[in-house]
Amino acid sequence: MLGWSLVFFIVAIASAALGFGGIAGTAASIAKILFFIFLVLLVISLLMQVLRGRPPRL
């Protein structure tokens, strides 16, 4: 049980270092950009399937 508490303590320290250092904000902004890129790719893919005459499979 003490081993698990040490593991969780190390994970908490690592996440605090990343969160307080500004890396979390950068990762969130990168995630937003990637979300919109893949959203646009999804729409393009659906449009291409409709234009080819196949119904889109979701």
Side-chain angles (χ1 to χ4, degrees):
M1 192 57 99
L2 184 59
W4 282 109
S5 63
L6 287 175
V7 169
F8 287 126
F9 177 71
I10 292 171
V11 169
I13 295 295
S15 61
L18 292 176
F20 297 145
I23 295 175
T26 304
S29 63
I30 291 172
K32 284 181 186 178
I33 292 169
L34 288 175
F35 172 76
F36 287 115
I37 288 173
F38 286 114
L39 186 66
V40 168
L41 289 175
L42 172 72
V43 169
I44 291 172
S45 175
L46 289 174
L47 285 175
M48 292 299 289
Q49 284 188 355
V50 168
L51 291 176
R52 288 183 185 164
R54 295 185 219 162
R57 291 184 294 161
L58 295 177

